[in-house]
Amino acid sequence: MTENRRHAVTGILLLALVAVLTVLFVKSPRITAEASMRFASSAAETEEDPDMAELLMLLNGE
Amino acid sequence: MNLYSIGLAVSIMVCVAAFILLNRPRTAMSSVLLISGFSALGGLLCARLVYWFGALDFFIGRTHNVLSFFWWTDGGFSLFGAVAGAAGCAWLACRWLKEDKRTLDLLALPLLLLVAEGRLLEWTAVGMDFGGALESPAWLAVSGEYGGRLNVALIEALMMIAVAVGLIIRMRVKAKKRVPLRDTLFLMGLCEALAISMRHDTYMMWGFVHQEQLYFYLLSSLMVILTGFEARKPIAGIISAFIAAGAIIFLEFALDGRIHVPFAFMREWADLFWYGLFILALAAYTIYYFSMRRGAERKRA
């Protein structure tokens, strides 16, 4: 196998790995937005940000 | 499946395709594929690493498990990490392949595209990236269950497009064939440092500072310091980075309401006043950077 071909094959394999990792993420039933919101809510609790506290109250239906 | 995941996959594919298509006429396809592969993988892993590190109290504090780094579906990714990882890994791959440094410049436009896409995705899919209360103008406001908010995501995307257009025009005027990656990272960092200060969400925060704002500022400063070394003015580069850091920290305190505007009649317009100063400070830093860049080019010639 020539060096060029080896580089091309490695590059394609790396891109395939990125595709697999992304597909694993895309196929997931868990919603990232919820997790991000959980992080936001924990930060808001510690920061006592009135804007965020109000937003979270609305999001929680309070 | 969710919009965020699909958007993430599409963004990566679009950027890799843009990199390959931009490269095609010049560099061997084997090198292009290898650099794209390293860059995409490095970008993805660093994006996760920066987010995971920034949210350690969430991941380690609640899960007590270092392997939470690999729980791809919990939390998200940091765009700064994506940019730094993709650029860093492409640089390493170029060095390994002994490719011309100018091959790296072809990463510039795909990275601007990635940040523009990613920011829009943050709002549309995750509901992050919003600013203070704003009802009008309607095109700049986003409405949700919590009323109208400033659409910072849109501002960031427009800034990235403006940087791309500006750099393409500069490339044409200077009769160059590439948009320099260094200039792109410098301007991207400054635009993000300004735009992120408008954000009111609590995504990746330390105290009252968004972590990504700090990282993007450091990225800009790294470019200034590297250019300083090239222009044989390393001390000037480092000092200017410290002065800019001082100005940004002062303005962040001011925008947080900890410093009052100097004149009473301006109190009502305090935010506009401080943002005006912010823009002036960043403009001065940009002018200084490009003058040093010209000096470096002259030295190289």
Side-chain angles (χ1 to χ4, degrees):
Chain A
M1 198 188 265
T2 63
E3 196 177 1
N4 272 357
R5 191 167 290 183
R6 211 165 45 235
H7 285 165
V9 170
T10 313
I12 289 167
L13 286 175
L14 286 173
L15 286 172
L17 177 62
V18 172
V20 169
L21 288 174
T22 316
V23 166
L24 281 177
F25 189 61
V26 169
K27 285 276 182 194
S28 164
R30 294 165 78 179
I31 308 291
T32 305
E34 281 179 6
S36 293
M37 268 301 175
R38 281 209 305 277
F39 175 49
S41 69
S42 73
E45 281 159 20
T46 50
E47 291 304 312
E48 291 180 0
D49 180 339
D51 274 358
M52 188 51 75
E54 187 190 342
L55 160 66
L56 288 166
M57 275 172 65
L58 286 163
L59 285 173
N60 294 332
E62 290 169 28
Chain B
M1 287 204 202
N2 57 73
L3 185 60
Y4 184 71
S5 319
I6 296 165
L8 178 80
V10 171
S11 300
I12 294 171
M13 281 190 283
V14 167
C15 290
V16 169
F19 183 71
I20 291 172
L21 288 174
L22 283 167
N23 254 308
R24 207 168 51 176
R26 196 178 160 274
T27 314
M29 185 51 90
S30 57
S31 302
V32 170
L33 283 170
L34 194 56
I35 295 168
S36 314
F38 268 117
S39 188
L41 187 62
L44 195 62
L45 292 179
C46 279
R48 177 63 180 173
L49 182 68
V50 173
Y51 181 87
W52 181 82
F53 178 75
L56 273 184
D57 61 336
F58 172 72
F59 287 113
I60 300 295
R62 291 194 190 180
T63 67
H64 304 288
N65 193 338
V66 180
L67 292 178
S68 55
F69 174 84
F70 297 103
W71 300 352
W72 290 69
T73 50
D74 241 336
F77 297 87
S78 153
L79 263 180
F80 167 80
V83 169
C89 287
W91 179 74
L92 285 174
C94 276
R95 278 192 71 123
W96 176 39
L97 294 171
K98 297 194 176 76
E99 276 296 336
D100 190 332
K101 270 187 188 170
R102 278 174 295 178
T103 303
L104 265 183
D105 290 342
L106 294 167
L107 202 62
L109 296 177
L111 284 183
L112 285 170
L113 185 67
L114 179 75
V115 175
E117 284 172 339
R119 288 303 185 206
L120 288 176
L121 199 60
E122 271 178 19
W123 170 255
T124 50
V126 191
M128 289 288 168
D129 219 346
F130 55 83
L134 185 83
E135 296 292 344
S136 64
W139 64 273
L140 202 54
V142 282
S143 55
E145 293 167 74
Y146 41 84
R149 291 277 184 162
L150 176 66
N151 190 347
V152 182
L154 180 64
I155 293 174
E156 287 173 304
L158 290 175
M159 278 177 164
M160 293 307 116
I161 293 167
V163 167
V165 170
L167 287 172
I168 289 170
I169 291 171
R170 187 170 179 269
M171 175 185 78
R172 293 281 163 122
V173 168
K174 292 195 148 244
K176 297 265 170 82
K177 288 181 180 163
R178 303 278 158 92
V179 170
L181 180 62
R182 187 178 295 178
D183 297 352
T184 306
L185 293 181
F186 171 78
L187 291 173
M188 180 195 284
L190 287 195
C191 288
E192 283 289 326
L194 174 65
I196 294 174
S197 78
M198 297 176 197
R199 284 169 65 161
H200 278 214
D201 60 65
T202 52
Y203 175 78
M204 289 180 73
M205 300 234 359
W206 275 332
F208 67 96
V209 175
H210 280 89
Q211 293 169 31
E212 281 200 325
Q213 184 185 24
L214 176 69
Y215 298 149
F216 270 113
Y217 165 73
L218 290 175
L219 180 70
S220 284
S221 289
L222 178 66
M223 300 303 127
V224 172
I225 291 168
L226 286 176
T227 308
F229 273 96
E230 268 184 17
R232 290 177 206 152
K233 288 180 183 167
I235 306 292
I238 293 167
I239 289 174
S240 68
F242 273 104
I243 292 173
I248 291 176
I249 290 168
F250 171 82
L251 288 163
E252 275 302 314
F253 271 99
L255 283 165
D256 200 50
R258 293 166 200 233
I259 297 168
H260 293 300
V261 284
F263 309 108
F265 71 93
M266 280 184 175
R267 297 261 152 87
E268 215 175 308
W269 305 97
D271 277 2
L272 276 181
F273 174 78
W274 292 124
Y275 275 119
L277 271 188
F278 209 139
I279 291 167
L280 279 179
L282 296 187
Y285 198 36
T286 306
I287 290 167
Y288 180 73
Y289 167 77
F290 279 102
S291 71
M292 203 151 63
R293 194 97 165 86
R294 270 196 296 279
E297 276 168 12
R298 254 183 258 126
K299 289 261 165 40
R300 218 180 299 142

